[in-house]
Amino acid sequence: MTQTTQIVLARRPQGAVTSDCFRLERPALPALGDNQILVRTLYLSLDPYMRPRMTELRSYTPPFELDQPLTGGAVAEVLESRNPKFAAGNIVTGMLNWATHQVHDGRGLRKVERDAAPLSAHLGILGMPGFTAWHGMLRMGQPKAGETVFVSAATGAVGQLAGQLAKLQGARVVGCAGDDAKCGYATSALGYDACFNHRTETDYGAVLDRLCPDGIDVDFENVGGAIFHAVFARMKNFGRMVMCGAISEYQDSKPQPGPEKMFTIVQRRLRIEGFIVSDHMAGMGAFVTEVGALLKAGKIHHRETVVEGLEQAPTAFIGLLKGENFGKLVVKVG
Amino acid sequence: MTQTTQIVLARRPQGAVTSDCFRLERPALPALGDNQILVRTLYLSLDPYMRPRMTELRSYTPPFELDQPLTGGAVAEVLESRNPKFAAGNIVTGMLNWATHQVHDGRGLRKVERDAAPLSAHLGILGMPGFTAWHGMLRMGQPKAGETVFVSAATGAVGQLAGQLAKLQGARVVGCAGDDAKCGYATSALGYDACFNHRTETDYGAVLDRLCPDGIDVDFENVGGAIFHAVFARMKNFGRMVMCGAISEYQDSKPQPGPEKMFTIVQRRLRIEGFIVSDHMAGMGAFVTEVGALLKAGKIHHRETVVEGLEQAPTAFIGLLKGENFGKLVVKVG
């Protein structure tokens, strides 16, 4: 009989997530049924979109259930299989529990090669965050050479690729990030033309006027709130605002109003469009081929923060929501 | 020497437009130069979008110039021509001065048949407002059978066709208008499934919950402000908000904030898109053919308010901004 260590949702947060929202448990796992597999988690992905799932919102994914394990993107090794599609030793990626081990029916899991890339890359640059950046920037934002692109959370798991892809299209790319080291990384390694620290800058309108004097053609929005409002007011005619996330709003106990003068959308013919990348999985193959090749050719960079041990996941997630990670945040479990 | 009567912009409004923003003048017109024509205005179109042009906004059309005639859609008769494309007696439509007569180079004017439709229809159901409804609803909103569509300003020059076109697609159509008579017209003549009076209803959220219990798939936005905010909160997954205008915001001296929880755009994958129909003139021919046929077949209805005399245009325009017109507002000049 296999035992697992897992983290369950102990209570729903009100405002900021705190450690008592989580509880560690060590239940025994059932024996494998037909078509089931036993997997051992190697890496777990922590992503901002998980925060809305902790609350009972009308949202795109059902909320996490109380007293049940949280789930997220993961890379795992198959230990035992009674499913003909998987064999012991396979490496798989997909949505799994915050757990060291689990019994799974294999649905939604995808096999990946053990040595094609560092395994954690399947949770970042070659996984959902990378695919999110690729779909949002290239298929929705469609930046053209000479246009100005703004990326909030410029060095985050999604932003770091979004900015580089815009740069490869010949756009001028400006971002913001939460400390000077991240801003330095954005301009030196990722190729951003400029990046400002949104914690030390106080007047977002003024800094955008300085860094994007002609306005903004494409906004890749990860943050929301005051930065989004300042960008909205500076969008150019026919501008596209790709709404990927709004991390600054996830922990609000009182909802924030939107930007002033919604008539701007008419005057400047803006297109503001939200997306959830799981609606667009048909593009995943093209993304992996394209970005995998860029990665192999050394044309894109990426950075991750690796935290060791499943029991560190809650603290790391709380830090993620405060912007304490640098690049993609993963937990090394196995 | 021909004299004209014209109305010029005497001062820019602060907040609500008042009659002292306008001044009547009777200048003499110059003799015709090469390629010029002399036209006599028959009908002048009054439309809400003119209000932003009275202010010095960064807008899609340059603002009206102080001490120069206001301009707008018009139907006119050619009295004299030194332009080979036009002959005396032609009826033309296009952007003209608020004037009884003017000298014009003919650019942007389109000839229309004298008897194909009542001449004022070229300013409404078969003109720019109709084309705006057709492009915005069918090409952008794309309502499908069984979907729920909301049209603010349901009986206005644009809304009246927007609602009928959505209905012809098999959608359920709900609107709002500024008095009970308009609401009655919307449901009895235009085929709306429901219409509420936005002056007597005070809780827009509650009335929308009652009339659109499953939420809204397509919003055709003409009004903005509190109604827009309530609709935004009730958009369904993959909803489209077609941003055509925001008449409730045009006279604000202080800008209004946008709706709460912009993250809704991500969660529900909304597309919010503004447009100016003059960017899409390539579709005008298809619109005239299609809507002309529907009109001839008695499949669509339309209503207009005709005001007599150019000198009445300022008062009528001030009333338009307060919603005093019923249907398309035109001034009979000639």
Side-chain angles (χ1 to χ4, degrees):
Chain A
M1 199 177 69
T2 312
Q3 223 178 13
T4 187
T5 301
Q6 65 185 24
I7 293 171
V8 303
L9 181 65
R11 69 167 188 85
R12 300 197 184 281
Q14 307 282 332
V17 177
T18 47
S19 56
D20 63 342
C21 295
F22 305 92
R23 189 173 64 240
L24 197 87
E25 293 181 344
R26 299 184 199 277
L29 291 175
L32 287 193
D34 279 351
N35 287 309
Q36 290 190 320
I37 58 178
L38 173 69
V39 300
R40 178 176 76 96
T41 307
L42 303 174
Y43 290 95
L44 193 63
S45 179
L46 299 182
D47 300 282
Y49 79 86
M50 295 170 167
R51 173 62 186 84
R53 294 194 67 192
M54 295 182 77
T55 318
E56 280 175 302
L57 287 174
R58 172 178 161 183
S59 187
Y60 53 91
T61 39
F64 293 127
E65 285 180 52
L66 273 180
D67 301 319
Q68 294 295 316
L70 291 101
T71 61
V75 174
E77 181 179 14
V78 178
L79 296 183
E80 290 177 48
S81 177
R82 292 188 57 187
N83 181 318
K85 293 184 188 145
F86 298 94
N90 284 169
I91 303 294
V92 294
T93 181
M95 295 295 280
L96 292 172
N97 290 347
W98 286 25
T100 57
H101 299 76
Q102 75 179 97
V103 172
H104 199 282
D105 64 8
R107 276 185 291 184
L109 299 184
R110 182 169 61 89
K111 280 185 272 192
V112 296
E113 284 181 48
R114 193 179 278 268
D115 303 313
L119 290 180
S120 60
H122 298 295
L123 303 181
I125 195 81
L126 293 177
M128 281 297 167
F131 183 38
T132 300
W134 180 86
H135 179 85
M137 184 58 81
L138 298 185
R139 298 219 163 162
M140 296 174 66
Q142 302 177 11
K144 294 174 197 62
E147 287 191 328
T148 297
V149 174
F150 183 76
V151 179
S152 53
T155 64
V158 174
Q160 60 182 331
L161 182 58
Q164 290 180 92
L165 290 174
K167 200 68 211 166
L168 286 169
Q169 301 300 307
R172 195 167 163 275
V173 185
V174 175
C176 70
D179 66 42
D180 290 345
K182 291 177 188 175
C183 285
Y185 177 72
T187 50
S188 62
L190 301 179
Y192 279 75
D193 294 279
C195 185
F196 70 87
N197 179 339
H198 64 79
R199 293 189 205 275
T200 53
E201 292 287 349
T202 51
D203 184 342
Y204 298 143
V207 68
L208 285 171
D209 284 341
R210 196 172 74 239
L211 299 180
C212 309
D214 300 325
I216 296 163
D217 296 285
V218 177
D219 172 46
F220 193 102
E221 189 58 50
N222 295 307
V223 171
I227 296 171
F228 168 67
H229 296 186
V231 170
F232 176 78
R234 286 159 184 83
M235 292 300 293
K236 292 171 77 166
N237 285 347
F238 304 103
R240 291 82 75 194
M241 304 191 86
V242 179
M243 304 296 279
C244 177
I247 193 169
S248 78
E249 302 181 9
Y250 295 165
Q251 311 238 47
D252 288 340
S253 40
K254 221 184 107 193
Q256 295 178 38
E260 287 181 344
K261 288 198 201 176
M262 296 304 281
F263 181 56
T264 304
I265 300 170
V266 181
Q267 288 182 296
R268 304 199 195 147
R269 299 84 136 181
L270 304 184
R271 188 179 73 219
I272 306 177
E273 193 167 6
F275 76 112
I276 307 293
V277 79
S278 53
D279 293 328
H280 305 281
M281 293 307 292
M284 187 80 187
F287 153 71
V288 170
T289 302
E290 194 176 315
V291 174
L294 288 170
L295 196 61
K296 197 166 277 184
K299 290 191 179 158
I300 50 173
H301 298 264
H302 68 114
R303 179 153 180 160
E304 60 186 22
T305 300
V306 181
V307 169
E308 299 266 345
L310 177 66
E311 67 283 4
Q312 297 303 319
T315 307
F317 182 66
I318 291 168
L320 172 73
L321 294 171
K322 297 178 187 158
E324 289 172 2
N325 58 304
F326 194 152
K328 171 62 198 156
L329 178 61
V330 293
V331 179
K332 188 172 182 186
V333 178
Chain B
M1 198 179 65
T2 312
Q3 223 178 11
T4 186
T5 301
Q6 64 185 24
I7 294 172
V8 304
L9 181 65
R11 70 165 187 85
R12 300 197 183 281
Q14 307 283 331
V17 177
T18 47
S19 56
D20 63 341
C21 295
F22 305 92
R23 190 174 62 241
L24 198 87
E25 293 182 343
R26 301 185 197 274
L29 291 175
L32 288 193
D34 279 350
N35 288 308
Q36 289 189 321
I37 58 179
L38 174 69
V39 299
R40 176 175 77 96
T41 307
L42 303 175
Y43 290 96
L44 193 62
S45 180
L46 299 182
D47 300 283
Y49 79 86
M50 295 170 167
R51 173 62 186 83
R53 294 194 67 191
M54 294 181 76
T55 318
E56 277 175 304
L57 287 174
R58 172 179 160 182
S59 187
Y60 53 90
T61 38
F64 293 127
E65 284 180 52
L66 273 178
D67 300 319
Q68 294 296 316
L70 292 101
T71 62
V75 174
E77 180 179 15
V78 178
L79 297 182
E80 288 177 49
S81 176
R82 291 188 57 187
N83 181 317
K85 293 183 188 146
F86 299 93
N90 284 169
I91 303 293
V92 294
T93 180
M95 296 294 281
L96 291 172
N97 290 348
W98 284 27
T100 57
H101 299 76
Q102 75 179 97
V103 172
H104 199 281
D105 64 8
R107 275 186 291 183
L109 298 185
R110 182 168 61 88
K111 280 186 272 191
V112 295
E113 284 181 50
R114 193 179 280 266
D115 302 313
L119 289 179
S120 59
H122 298 297
L123 302 181
I125 196 79
L126 293 177
M128 281 297 166
F131 183 39
T132 300
W134 181 87
H135 180 85
M137 183 58 80
L138 299 186
R139 299 221 161 161
M140 296 174 67
Q142 301 176 12
K144 294 172 199 62
E147 287 192 328
T148 298
V149 173
F150 183 76
V151 179
S152 54
T155 64
V158 175
Q160 59 182 333
L161 182 58
Q164 291 180 93
L165 290 173
K167 201 68 210 162
L168 287 169
Q169 302 299 306
R172 194 167 164 274
V173 184
V174 175
C176 70
D179 64 44
D180 291 343
K182 291 178 188 175
C183 285
Y185 178 72
T187 51
S188 62
L190 301 178
Y192 279 76
D193 294 278
C195 184
F196 70 87
N197 179 338
H198 64 78
R199 293 188 205 274
T200 55
E201 291 286 348
T202 51
D203 185 341
Y204 298 142
V207 68
L208 286 171
D209 284 341
R210 196 172 73 239
L211 299 180
C212 309
D214 300 324
I216 296 162
D217 296 285
V218 177
D219 173 45
F220 193 102
E221 189 58 52
N222 295 308
V223 171
I227 296 171
F228 169 66
H229 296 187
V231 170
F232 175 78
R234 286 158 184 83
M235 292 300 292
K236 292 172 77 166
N237 286 347
F238 304 103
R240 291 81 76 194
M241 303 191 86
V242 179
M243 305 295 280
C244 177
I247 192 170
S248 79
E249 302 181 12
Y250 295 165
Q251 310 237 49
D252 288 340
S253 39
K254 221 184 106 193
Q256 295 179 37
E260 287 183 344
K261 287 198 202 177
M262 295 303 280
F263 181 56
T264 304
I265 300 170
V266 181
Q267 288 182 295
R268 305 200 193 146
R269 299 83 135 182
L270 304 183
R271 188 180 71 218
I272 306 175
E273 193 167 5
F275 77 111
I276 306 294
V277 80
S278 53
D279 294 328
H280 306 280
M281 293 307 292
M284 187 80 187
F287 153 72
V288 170
T289 302
E290 193 175 316
V291 174
L294 289 170
L295 196 61
K296 196 166 280 186
K299 289 191 178 157
I300 50 173
H301 299 266
H302 67 114
R303 180 153 178 159
E304 60 185 24
T305 300
V306 181
V307 169
E308 299 266 345
L310 178 67
E311 67 284 5
Q312 297 303 320
T315 306
F317 182 67
I318 290 168
L320 172 74
L321 294 171
K322 297 178 187 161
E324 290 171 4
N325 58 304
F326 194 153
K328 172 61 199 158
L329 178 60
V330 293
V331 179
K332 188 171 180 184
V333 177

